[in-house]
Amino acid sequence: MDLNLLAQLTVSGVVVGSSYALLGVSFGIIYATTKIFHLAHAVSFAAAAYGAVWASSSLGLGFALALVVGLVVGLAFGVMIELVFYRPMRNKDATLLSIFLVSLGISVAFPNLLQLAFGPDNRTLERPGNPIYELGPVTITRVDVIGTVLIWLLIAAVTTFIVKTRFGRSITAMRTNPVMAEAVGIDSKRVFTVVFVIGSALVAVASLIQTSKGVATPNMGLQPTLIGFIAAFLGGIGSLWGAALGGLALGLLSSWSALWLQVDYGPVVVFGVMFLILLVRPQGLLGKAAV
Amino acid sequence: MSYYADIGITILILMTLAVSLNLLLGYAGRVSMAHAIFFGIGGFTAARLTLPTKEELGGVATSGLQTGAGWSWVWALVVAIVVAFLAALLISLPAVRLVRGEYLILLTLAFQLVANQLMGVLKNVTGGPFGLSGIPSMTIGDKVLFLPEEVFWVFLVAAVVSIAICWGLGESPFGRLLKGLREHDTAVASVGKNPVVPELLAFSISAAIAGGVGALAAFYYGSVVPSNYTLTFSILIVSVVVLGGIGNLTGTVVGAIILGLLEPMLRKWFGDGAIPWQAVIYGAALVLMMRIRPQGLIPEGKGLIRRRRGRRPEAEVPTEAEALERLSHRDDGADTSAALGMPIVEVHDLQKSFGGLKAVNGATFTLEQGKVTALIGPNGAGKTTIFNMICGSIEADTGTVRLRGEDVTGEAPYKMARRGLARSFQDVRVCQRLSALDNVAMGVPDQPGERVSQLILRPLRTRRVEQEVRAKALDCLALLGIASQADVLVSDLSYGDQKLVAIARLLATGCDVLLLDEPTSGVDPASVEKVIAGIGRLRALGHTVCLVEHSVHFVQRLADRAVFLDQGTVIAEGTVDELMNRRELAELYFGT
């Protein structure tokens, strides 16, 4: 085996896996708490990227400010979907299936609205250069270094928030036993809103890191959302560190698969892994068996 | 002419796919996000089978030409249907492990994405991103079906056949079973039905139909391309079903026509630039439908055929005496009176802990044939847990359960029911969106109409048996005094009547041993009298009844024997009066 290649694949696997980890945490915190299969997470992802592109190209804002605008736009879309669509349905005791179908509808319509507004072509964010560092046989770009560090800081911050603060513990209470949590006076609406704020902000960051080195396209959101779900699922729903590690493992695996398979097979490996896990261990790798 | 026929074909394809998906989404309440893939599997299978062989192309392996097996289209169609069926069966394997609800969404989403990716990658099989082309047209005799206005009729036939299949299955006892599972899989299992197989079959049949249409589409378009089988298309199919009304095939047909016309209309009036509006409209339609009219344009149960609802006139329902007479005629002709009082269920040293909590700690008692035994004791004594262990819905840590001397510890609930032991639930678990009669009919064992093979192979017999099943269900309802409500939707019945429906459903199973979990909790006094009378009839028919009940009044009037439990162990057995006269037990029971 080519050790240099292995080292390079490992480094890119960590980079990709870190963004998968962030996607996993962002999807996992929403799904575990609200039980909504939030496919429209994809909308927040794309909205963040297009928000930044729009701020940069139409408003003429600088790179840093454009990222801030993107973050706000992505977050706003996520929270808006909860407030405008999901919450009224929950109030009317809609089933999770019908809420999922609404989420599906939103995630079908939105990319096409983006396409109508911005055109079907790839959009690039005006950005500073992205120098490449060489560490022996391995190369890595500046965006990847900053992005990866940022991701793990964010994940650590969110998990600390959940474990250490009073509000964070009320999220956990809501996740594990909603009826009891309401009974002791936890406001489910507030918890859900905060969860959507955190989840949407995290997915916006993931989107902006990707847009800082790649392009924005109308359909860019769906695949990351599904990867986020797979990561969250792999780690066991409800465990944020599980979701993060699930994402990392997924990234490494799809990167290493290039040792044996053509590059085209990367996504096949990712979804294939989930399929296998579903077959042999439906509760996820770190999850507990359902009672 | 060809232009309109082509649009018609597009609509018919969409219609057939949506109708088949509605079998799953509507009747079984499960959503598949991979319907486009099964459509594609059919297409690729048919393409590879009908493409000419190398020899037919002159024996030269010309690089541009794709080769196949050179079959006729009819056989390719059959194989395509079978392959799609098997593929669906294979990917739904996790469902056997009781992966339910949103996991099927996830599973099919993953399958949709992985399979669509593979279609682009497996060049040897699918021809890669550009797919396969040069697929021969269909022929009938010497006539080549090439023009859209000719092929249209083939698709029309396919759509009609698919609608007939889905409607026939959905409205059959098999469909009733699916609807029951949609609401309460545990309850359906508790009356002896396999809770998994019907859903797997619904999924696979719906995929098989999609595969068949996929094959026909391949013959018509002459090519199959991976980009035709994307997630977006799967979502479109789901949209059609939701728009038309989940569980309503007429609605699906209307929905397919509306959404199918959308693209040609947009293109004609607004030009190609307007095509993205199509998906915007689908999405908006989904959102609006679920927000404003979750039941769809035409809700379930409404449509061409009006169903009778509301009370039946007394003259049309059997009297209680008639019902008793018919039901007491046992199928096996065995005389049970000799065995009266013999032990039929023996529970020995059952133990169960939940975490650190010892819920049941060495419970030992017997149920005597033909007697009503009450499990009584304070809250938390472990009564319901014992029920759950007897009927197999939770596993005992240690201990055995014997039924007629045979060790049946840990058998799945549906198998227990087939051995003659069924239960009811404290929270009733009757299916709200079915009529009382349908709920009870679901309890009747060994219905050929619940098996797809029988529905297809012996339609007349299944129809005849279904008449008998409905007659028997009506008798069961009559015995409990609610036959006049047979056609009322359960959601419109009082809670007391729902409990009676649940007991009638147990009765319909023909099981000897019936476990009733708090049959009168939350029931108004008038209905309590009906429940007491009903349980009296169960005993009169020779059933062994075991009930968990809090009302001493109720227990005293009904039970021949009582088993007193406290903290998971049996502390006394005897007649109810004996137990209640013992002061320490009364104190335990009522609290002091």
Side-chain angles (χ1 to χ4, degrees), chain B residues 440-592:
Chain B
V440 178
M442 214 182 299
V444 178
D446 300 326
Q447 298 180 35
E450 287 177 347
R451 291 169 48 199
V452 175
S453 57
Q454 296 288 312
L455 282 171
I456 297 166
L457 297 176
R458 309 184 67 179
L460 293 177
R461 174 163 176 262
T462 56
R463 193 162 304 173
R464 199 187 67 237
V465 175
E466 173 65 2
Q467 298 295 333
E468 293 165 17
V469 165
R470 297 184 80 81
K472 182 173 181 193
L474 193 62
D475 280 343
C476 293
L477 284 168
L479 199 69
L480 291 154
I482 47 168
S484 62
Q485 311 269 36
D487 302 311
V488 180
L489 279 187
V490 163
S491 55
D492 296 335
L493 290 177
S494 75
Y495 192 61
D497 283 349
Q498 294 189 18
K499 289 240 171 182
L500 289 168
V501 170
I503 297 174
R505 184 172 65 189
L506 276 191
L507 182 60
T509 61
C511 288
D512 293 334
V513 186
L514 306 176
L515 309 184
L516 305 177
D517 197 353
E518 303 208 10
T520 63
S521 68
V523 171
D524 60 288
S527 297
V528 169
E529 287 304 320
K530 284 198 205 165
V531 173
I532 291 178
I535 294 174
R537 299 254 158 65
L538 297 184
R539 174 168 48 190
L541 283 172
H543 291 285
T544 307
V545 178
C546 176
L547 41 93
V548 164
E549 188 50 64
H550 282 298
S551 155
V552 172
H553 160 73
F554 179 88
V555 169
Q556 275 172 330
R557 283 183 54 189
L558 258 183
D560 303 306
R561 294 174 61 249
V563 173
F564 198 105
L565 291 153
D566 187 38
Q567 296 183 356
T569 33
V570 175
I571 57 175
E573 273 184 84
T575 68
V576 184
D577 290 334
E578 270 168 36
L579 296 190
M580 280 302 139
N581 287 336
R582 283 168 63 178
R583 207 162 143 233
E584 77 280 11
L585 295 182
E587 270 174 17
L588 250 180
Y589 192 79
F590 296 110
T592 38

Side-chain angles (χ1 to χ4, degrees), chain B residues 428-447:
Chain B
V428 265
R429 302 195 193 171
V430 280
C431 303
Q432 302 285 325
R433 282 146 75 192
L434 294 180
S435 72
L437 188 71
D438 279 335
N439 264 285
V440 178
M442 214 182 299
V444 178
D446 300 326
Q447 298 180 35

Side-chain angles (χ1 to χ4, degrees), chain A:
Chain A
M1 189 186 287
D2 182 347
L3 281 181
N4 287 351
L5 179 61
L6 181 65
Q8 180 62 57
L9 288 177
T10 307
V11 169
S12 17
V14 169
V15 169
V16 174
S18 299
S19 64
Y20 288 2
L22 188 60
L23 292 167
V25 172
S26 75
F27 192 95
I29 192 171
I30 292 176
Y31 179 72
T33 315
T34 67
K35 309 287 183 290
I36 296 170
F37 196 103
H38 181 44
L39 203 62
H41 212 40
V43 169
S44 306
F45 191 92
Y50 273 84
V53 167
W54 170 77
S56 158
S57 63
S58 300
L59 302 182
L61 296 182
F63 178 65
L65 277 176
L67 291 185
V68 173
V69 172
L71 178 66
V72 172
V73 172
L75 193 157
F77 268 89
V79 175
M80 198 181 70
I81 289 167
E82 154 67 6
L83 295 182
V84 177
F85 295 102
Y86 298 162
R87 178 168 298 172
M89 291 193 71
R90 261 200 313 275
N91 290 344
K92 286 203 294 184
D93 287 328
T95 59
L96 285 174
L97 177 63
S98 53
I99 296 183
F100 166 71
L101 291 173
V102 164
S103 194
L104 188 67
I106 298 170
S107 31
V108 177
F110 189 74
N112 289 281
L113 285 172
L114 275 182
Q115 188 178 336
L116 288 164
F118 291 90
D121 301 330
N122 296 347
R123 298 292 298 255
T124 314
L125 182 61
E126 285 292 326
R127 58 200 174 207
N130 186 11
I132 298 171
Y133 305 125
E134 283 188 32
L135 305 158
V138 176
T139 61
I140 187 168
T141 67
R142 186 163 74 187
V143 172
D144 285 341
V145 174
I146 297 175
T148 305
V149 172
L150 179 67
I151 283 169
W152 290 102
L153 286 177
L154 279 173
I155 291 175
V158 170
T159 44
T160 312
F161 169 74
I162 300 276
V163 178
K164 298 279 182 198
T165 66
R166 195 179 154 76
F167 197 87
R169 284 195 295 270
S170 63
I171 294 178
T172 309
M174 205 55 168
R175 168 170 66 76
T176 45
N177 193 338
V179 179
M180 201 55 115
E182 293 232 293
V184 298
I186 295 174
D187 178 359
S188 68
K189 291 187 174 137
R190 223 170 113 224
V191 168
F192 279 26
T193 312
V194 171
V195 160
F196 270 90
V197 168
I198 298 174
S200 308
L202 294 182
V203 85
V205 171
S207 160
L208 293 169
I209 292 173
Q210 184 183 317
T211 316
S212 298
K213 53 187 176 182
V215 293
T217 62
N219 282 312
M220 68 194 296
L222 192 58
Q223 182 129 343
T225 301
L226 293 169
I227 287 175
F229 186 77
I230 298 170
F233 176 79
L234 212 76
I237 295 298
S239 156
L240 291 187
W241 277 113
L245 295 178
L248 185 62
L250 214 51
L252 282 170
L253 199 67
S254 71
S255 183
W256 283 333
S257 72
L259 282 173
W260 303 282
L261 298 168
Q262 296 167 6
V263 186
D264 301 345
Y265 281 92
V268 176
V269 170
V270 170
F271 294 115
V273 164
M274 179 177 70
F275 197 67
L276 279 180
I277 301 281
L278 274 169
L279 280 172
V280 295
R281 209 177 148 74
Q283 67 273 34
L285 285 184
L286 303 181
K288 294 193 189 84
V291 180

